[in-house]
Amino acid sequence: MDSLLKHMVDMTGHRDHAMLDLSAVAAVQELAGAQHTRVLSLAAVGPARYLRARASVDDGGAPRLEDEAGPGETLDAYPALAACLAAQGARAEAGQPGRHTMWVPIWRGELAATILEIARAAPFTAAEVHTIDGIVGVYRNFLSLLEYSERDSLTGLLNRKTFDDQLARMLQCAAEQESPLPGQPERRQKGTGHEQWLAVVDVDHFKLVNDRFGHLYGDEVLILIANMLQSSFRAHDRVFRFGGEEFVVLLRSTTLENARRIIERFRAGVESHHFPQVGTVTVSVGFTCIKPYDSPVVTLGHADQALYFAKTHGRNQVCHYDQLVADGLLATVASNDTAEFF
C-alpha cells in the first residue's frame, strides 16, 4: 500500500507529459511485477497506423524516454491490440512461452492515442489487473487534464501558451550542461556535438490553399502536416502549433547532422505526400541551436530569420541560421532580450 501511494503521489505531482509517462511506467512496472513496460503513441500516417514508444522501463533498470525517430512499428504487427482498438475494448492480451503481454488503451471518447504495454513471464492475476486499472485511471485523468490545457484543438499538438515553459526548461538544461555546479563533473561529454535545437515550420502558400479549396481543406492540410510532424520527430521532442500555418519543434539533445537529417526528411515527406483535393503542399523550415544564455526571444528570432531566408529564396527548403551567418548570408544583430531589430 505504501508503494502504491508513493507512485500515486509521484504521478499526480507532474505537469509535464514526459515526466507523467515516466511515472506511469515506473508505477506499473513495480506494482504489476513486469519485465518490461512501455507507453506507446498511436498515430496515423495516411491510411496506416503506427505505434511509437514514448517511455519505457526494463526489469532492474530506470525509466527512460525513448528517442526513436520515424513513424515506428505498424499496428498490423500487433493483431490482438488492433482488434481491441477496433472494438474499443478495455485491454488486449497475447501470450507465448515465457512472455505474456497486456495492452491497455487510454481512451478519450472514441480515440486512443496513448497505449500502455506491460510484459512479464506469467499471465496477470485478477488482483494485478485491478491494480493496473487503478493506475491507468489516475494516468488517464492527469493526461486528460494536461492535454485539455496544453493542446491545440484542431491538430492535437502542444499549443502556443506551453511553448515558453518548454523552451525555458531546455535553456535551463543547456545551461546546466554547459556550467555544472562547483565540484561536479560536466553532464555532457565534450566533443559529442549534442545540442538542443529549435525549428520553425511554415506551410508555403497556405493562403492560396484556403482561397482556392476552402477552409475545411485547409484545416485538413494542417491536421495531416501535424501528423507528419509527430511521426517524423522523436517521441521526446516537442511539436507546437503556433497558430495559422506555423509550427515550432524543439529537438532535444542531438547533433547538427542528425537534426538536419530529421528536419529534411520531414520536409521531403510533406513534398511527396498527396493531400486530398489539394495535391502537392510544401513547407519551409528555419532552425537554430538553442544556446544556453540566449533568451527565448533571441532563440526564436534566429529561427525566424532562417525561415524568412528560406521563404524569400525559393521556399520548400531547410535553412540553418548559424550556417547562413557563417556563409555571410545573414548578419547577427544586437538584441535587448525582448525584441530584435532587423
Side-chain angles (χ1 to χ4, degrees):
M1 180 62 70
D2 287 345
S3 181
L4 176 61
L5 290 174
K6 175 182 177 298
H7 283 298
M8 293 301 100
V9 169
D10 188 40
M11 288 178 63
T12 57
H14 294 304
R15 295 297 181 269
D16 176 80
H17 282 82
M19 297 305 297
L20 181 59
D21 286 347
L22 290 175
S23 294
V25 295
V28 171
Q29 180 78 359
E30 179 182 344
L31 298 172
Q35 294 175 326
H36 183 65
T37 304
R38 297 194 296 173
V39 171
L40 306 172
S41 289
L42 176 64
V45 180
R49 290 190 293 174
Y50 294 89
L51 295 167
R52 187 170 61 171
R54 295 202 310 250
S56 66
V57 60
D58 295 312
D59 190 21
R64 63 184 181 275
L65 297 175
E66 299 290 353
D67 63 356
E68 60 183 272
E73 304 172 271
T74 176
L75 180 61
D76 293 339
Y78 297 81
L81 174 59
C84 172
L85 292 170
Q88 296 188 11
R91 67 182 63 84
E93 297 187 50
Q96 57 187 9
R99 187 177 179 88
H100 193 88
T101 304
M102 176 189 293
W103 294 275
V104 183
I106 310 300
W107 290 103
R108 294 187 61 204
E110 297 182 354
L111 299 176
T114 298
I115 295 158
L116 198 62
E117 179 189 77
I118 313 141
R120 54 182 256 175
F124 298 90
T125 67
E128 289 166 340
V129 171
H130 181 71
T131 299
I132 291 170
D133 285 344
I135 297 169
V136 168
V138 174
Y139 175 59
R140 178 191 298 112
N141 289 343
F142 272 79
L143 193 62
S144 296
L145 287 173
L146 285 177
E147 292 186 348
Y148 179 79
S149 63
E150 296 182 354
R151 297 285 176 178
D152 172 61
S153 59
L154 176 66
T155 63
L157 299 179
L158 292 168
N159 57 31
R160 176 70 182 261
K161 70 180 183 180
T162 66
F163 170 76
D164 289 341
D165 181 57
Q166 293 281 343
L167 179 56
R169 292 182 189 181
M170 292 186 74
L171 286 167
Q172 181 181 4
C173 178
E176 288 174 350
Q177 290 177 335
E178 187 80 12
S179 302
L181 295 174
Q184 293 185 350
E186 287 196 16
R187 303 179 188 179
R188 183 181 60 202
Q189 294 180 350
K190 288 184 178 295
T192 62
H194 283 69
E195 306 286 353
Q196 323 287 348
W197 306 88
L198 185 151
V200 180
V201 179
D202 191 86
V203 182
D204 295 327
H205 301 299
F206 184 69
K207 185 177 184 300
L208 294 179
V209 173
N210 278 334
D211 290 346
R212 182 176 178 184
F213 301 100
H215 288 277
L216 287 178
Y217 282 104
D219 285 350
E220 185 174 9
V221 166
L222 295 177
I223 292 169
L224 290 171
I225 288 178
N227 290 342
M228 296 174 75
L229 278 164
Q230 290 181 302
S231 64
S232 297
F233 291 90
R234 301 165 302 171
H236 66 277
D237 295 328
R238 292 290 176 263
V239 185
F240 306 81
R241 183 187 178 200
F242 252 38
E245 68 271 28
E246 188 171 77
F247 304 86
V248 172
V249 183
L250 296 178
L251 292 86
R252 298 179 186 266
S253 181
T254 193
T255 63
L256 169 60
E257 179 182 358
N258 197 43
R260 190 192 299 274
R261 178 182 61 81
I262 295 171
I263 296 170
E264 175 59 30
R265 181 180 60 198
F266 160 71
R267 183 210 61 78
V270 173
E271 182 184 20
S272 63
H273 186 80
H274 177 77
F275 290 81
Q277 184 69 24
V278 176
T280 299
V281 174
T282 64
V283 295
S284 298
V285 187
F287 76 105
T288 188
C289 176
I290 297 176
K291 296 180 174 63
Y293 302 109
D294 281 346
S295 71
V297 169
V298 169
T299 302
L300 187 59
H302 288 168
D304 270 332
Q305 282 185 270
L307 172 65
Y308 182 75
F309 186 93
K311 300 285 280 188
T312 55
H313 289 78
R315 295 183 170 83
N316 190 27
Q317 59 183 300
V318 175
C319 289
H320 176 211
Y321 171 81
D322 302 281
Q323 187 63 54
L324 292 173
V325 171
D327 293 343
L329 299 174
L330 281 181
T332 57
V333 294
S335 170
N336 66 357
D337 281 348
T338 58
E340 290 198 337
F341 302 96
F342 301 90

